[in-house]
Amino acid sequence: MPELKGWKEVPIGGIIDKPATAKEYKTGTWRVIRPVHQIENCIHCMMCWLYCPDQAIVIEIVDGKPKMKGYNYDYCKGCGLCANVCPKTNDKLPVDKRAIIMKPETEFQE
Amino acid sequence: MPEVKNRQAVTGAQAVANAMRQINPDVVAAYPITPQTPIVEYFAQYVADGLADTEMIPVESEHSAMSAVVGAAASGARAMTATAANGLALMHEIVYIAASLRLPIVMPVANRALSGPINIHCDHSDAMAERDSGWIQLWAENAQEAYDFTLMAIKIGEHEDVRLPVMVNLDGFIISHGVEVVDFIDDEAAKKFVGKPIVKYPLLDLNNPVTYGPLDLYDYYFEHKRQQIEAMKHVKHVFKQVAKEFEKISGRKYDIIEKYKTDDAEYIMIALGSTAGTIKYTVDLLREEGHKVGLVKPWVFRPFPKEELQEILNGRKAVIVLDRAASFGAEAPLYEAVKSALYEAAVRPQIGSYVYGLGGRDIKVEDIRKAFEDAFEGNLIADEERYLGLRE
């Protein structure tokens, strides 16, 4: 979250007076489960990228093709949609064969 | 005093529509509802005749009317509508949004009773239901004031320190349909007075993109409400400033409250709207009989003229408040506010509450005299609501 301003500082009427301010709104603070990318199992099909509601999937173009590079955890709110649509992630696959695994956020807390 | 060039006998609706023609707003979206209908009819005629180049949007409901006007105002247009009673109630949701988005929309309201049972006549329950919506409320006593306030409302609402919508209340039928003599300001002077729209954050300014109506949760909603509270605090000085400017072109003087024969008055009656005229007449009769009586009429009801009332009512013998609306399970709205204002008066007068005229019930000189007589006899009870013109 950006630092909160007082009532004298913000534009009237809740008006947002410049574009792309949603970037400042870090939905990652909401996350309770975290998707973890296991790149060795990923076929880079881009389903996760297509479905992610927060544009939190990090992509790199390599030789003209998109490659899934992991997550921007500032914006990933842990909805799990990516794991749900991932063709390399399902209940039948053992955990070490999945491309995306969901882990409790508590495991990452220091 | 400027020379009167254009004096006509018109209905209040015609007077208001003529003000709208002179304002020549960019957009008017409206749905007809009795007794507001003739305002929009006259105005639509002006547009059809090419006397106003307003984009007139006939919509399918008042909810849409207010929505269209909010959209237009957000885009940077000067936008107006008019309504009454159930139409205003149907707008309710968007009435709040107009104020919250800080859009200086001007809306004449031909005050009428809210259903049910169905009633089309004058009553203040429609406007009172919106008193906490964040709109400025001006109250007219007659067609002249309704015309004048419609012009003034534009400048008050659009002022940099205010940026709030304004409701111009005129009693349904009594003012909207009654014919009176009205002094119109000539077109050029009126146009010059209202000036060009003062636009803030227009949606159509593509070089400076803005977002209207985003999600505003617990992190900023409170701050935005505080800004609205502040804007309301600025209304009084802006009103006075606009009134002064208006006086120069019209010769007519307005203030937050009107005081009628109050200088030495021991007994003061307070009422909104057209009944103030009947009270003035009754005050004159009672004065002839030697009673020291007077009237205070709030021209501005929101923001509430608390300090002005405290100042004028302090030390009087009695204050009689007349309400044309009831508040079920509580005190009548004007009375409640006046009583609250008097809490800190150094010398608190006796005070009494009278509800009258619901659903268009006639209010007569005898009724007003009866309320005054109760006061003369010391027979006012602060916690008792009484009724004028009601059959027991």
Side-chain angles (χ1 to χ4, degrees):
Chain A
M1 288 294 294
E3 201 180 324
L4 293 170
K5 291 174 178 155
W7 68 271
K8 290 174 189 165
E9 300 168 277
V10 289
I12 58 167
I15 288 150
I16 297 172
D17 60 355
K18 55 181 185 290
T21 50
K23 273 187 180 171
E24 293 168 30
Y25 200 73
K26 302 209 170 140
T27 41
T29 58
W30 303 4
R31 192 173 56 248
V32 288
I33 49 168
R34 173 183 292 214
V36 176
H37 188 216
Q38 303 198 123
I39 194 158
E40 63 277 14
N41 302 325
C42 181
I43 57 171
H44 304 284
C45 68
M46 294 299 116
M47 287 295 276
C48 56
W49 175 82
L50 190 62
Y51 277 87
C52 177
D54 290 296
Q55 297 176 41
I57 310 287
V58 181
I59 293 295
E60 194 183 28
I61 307 291
V62 179
D63 298 332
K65 286 182 181 166
K67 297 284 177 197
M68 157 69 164
K69 298 290 285 180
Y71 293 88
N72 182 340
Y73 290 113
D74 278 348
Y75 302 108
C76 169
K77 62 172 126 64
C79 71
L81 197 52
C82 51
N84 204 45
V85 298
C86 178
K88 295 294 286 177
T89 297
N90 61 59
D91 293 346
K92 288 170 197 151
L93 280 172
V95 169
D96 63 340
K97 297 288 177 199
R98 296 177 191 176
I100 299 169
I101 50 171
M102 301 298 296
K103 289 187 169 182
E105 192 62 28
T106 48
E107 284 185 22
F108 300 90
Q109 280 176 0
E110 287 160 18
Chain B
M1 168 134 184
E3 184 196 347
V4 174
K5 292 180 191 160
N6 195 357
R7 177 170 287 179
Q8 289 181 43
V10 292
T11 63
Q14 231 172 327
V16 167
N18 196 37
M20 290 171 73
R21 179 188 61 77
Q22 292 177 326
I23 292 162
N24 195 16
D26 299 301
V27 174
V28 168
Y31 186 85
I33 181 167
T34 303
Q36 161 263 42
T37 313
I39 297 176
V40 184
E41 278 179 348
Y42 280 118
F43 184 70
Q45 187 70 54
Y46 291 139
V47 174
D49 292 346
L51 300 173
D53 29 77
T54 302
E55 187 70 41
M56 183 89 203
I57 313 174
V59 282
E60 106 303 345
S61 76
E62 286 85 352
H63 191 274
S64 302
M66 185 48 74
S67 300
V69 165
V70 161
S75 79
R78 187 176 261 167
M80 297 182 76
T81 182
T83 195
N86 297 55
L88 179 55
L90 187 55
M91 286 177 176
H92 179 71
E93 180 192 10
I94 320 297
V95 163
Y96 270 71
I97 291 171
S100 303
L101 295 183
R102 309 293 297 277
L103 302 171
I105 293 158
V106 171
M107 174 168 71
V109 173
N111 302 108
R112 165 190 148 181
L114 279 169
S115 301
I118 299 168
N119 181 300
I120 58 166
H121 291 285
C122 178
D123 184 311
H124 296 164
S125 46
D126 54 358
M128 288 304 162
E130 304 302 333
R131 74 195 156 138
D132 297 332
S133 62
W135 282 56
I136 296 164
Q137 283 197 10
L138 307 179
W139 285 77
E141 182 186 319
N142 49 41
Q144 183 71 65
E145 291 184 8
Y147 165 78
D148 293 349
F149 285 166
T150 304
L151 293 174
M152 285 167 61
I154 296 283
K155 284 181 83 80
I156 297 165
E158 285 179 7
H159 194 282
E160 176 77 19
D161 296 345
V162 177
R163 306 302 296 177
L164 289 173
V166 191
M167 209 177 276
V168 178
N169 291 285
L170 58 145
D171 283 354
F173 288 107
I174 300 165
I175 301 177
S176 66
H177 288 58
V179 175
E180 294 174 45
V181 170
V182 174
D183 286 340
F184 290 114
I185 294 156
D186 61 59
D187 287 1
E188 279 317 303
K191 278 181 206 297
K192 203 175 152 216
F193 172 74
V194 295
K196 291 237 171 345
I198 303 164
V199 176
K200 214 168 179 190
Y201 303 118
L203 264 180
L204 294 182
D205 177 0
L206 301 181
N207 296 320
N208 298 291
V210 292
T211 304
Y212 268 85
L215 194 62
D216 194 18
L217 300 180
Y218 39 70
D219 45 5
Y220 276 109
Y221 182 87
F222 202 168
E223 279 67 29
H224 289 128
K225 293 296 124 179
R226 178 65 183 83
Q227 292 177 334
Q228 279 178 257
I229 293 167
E230 191 67 11
M232 269 291 179
K233 288 184 184 172
H234 298 160
V235 172
K236 284 182 191 172
H237 82 251
V238 172
F239 180 95
K240 283 172 195 257
Q241 190 181 313
V242 171
K244 206 171 271 177
E245 262 183 75
F246 188 75
E247 191 188 346
K248 280 185 204 144
I249 60 163
S250 68
R252 292 184 290 274
K253 204 179 169 102
Y254 291 106
D255 205 339
I256 309 295
I257 57 172
E258 183 183 10
K259 302 165 197 171
Y260 184 76
K261 302 196 174 174
T262 54
D263 285 354
D264 64 336
E266 292 172 340
Y267 304 90
I268 290 183
M269 191 171 271
I270 304 179
L272 293 165
S274 63
T275 303
T278 320
I279 298 169
K280 285 174 185 170
Y281 179 76
T282 314
V283 162
D284 291 349
L285 292 179
L286 290 168
R287 283 260 168 195
E288 278 170 29
E289 294 167 23
H291 297 289
K292 288 185 173 172
V293 292
L295 163 79
V296 166
K297 177 185 73 181
W299 269 314
V300 182
F301 178 67
R302 276 294 180 276
F304 190 70
K306 187 176 168 182
E307 296 76 23
E308 289 78 1
L309 290 176
Q310 279 171 342
E311 195 184 316
I312 194 158
L313 301 179
N314 181 39
R316 309 283 178 166
K317 269 193 185 157
V319 174
I320 308 137
V321 185
L322 264 59
D323 271 275
R324 203 163 195 154
S327 179
F328 308 101
E331 289 169 341
L334 182 60
Y335 178 71
E336 186 182 57
V338 173
K339 190 179 173 190
S340 158
L342 287 174
Y343 183 80
E344 287 184 272
V347 183
R348 251 187 258 167
Q350 271 208 333
I351 184 162
S353 171
Y354 291 81
V355 171
Y356 74 96
L358 300 190
R361 175 67 51 86
D362 211 4
I363 173 99
K364 296 173 180 155
V365 173
E366 303 87 81
D367 299 322
I368 294 163
R369 177 188 279 271
K370 170 75 180 63
F372 269 122
E373 278 167 1
D374 284 354
F376 301 155
E377 289 158 18
N379 174 24
L380 293 180
I381 301 168
D383 284 336
E384 185 178 296
E385 186 169 278
R386 292 175 187 167
Y387 308 93
L388 298 174
L390 175 80
R391 290 183 303 276
E392 292 298 333

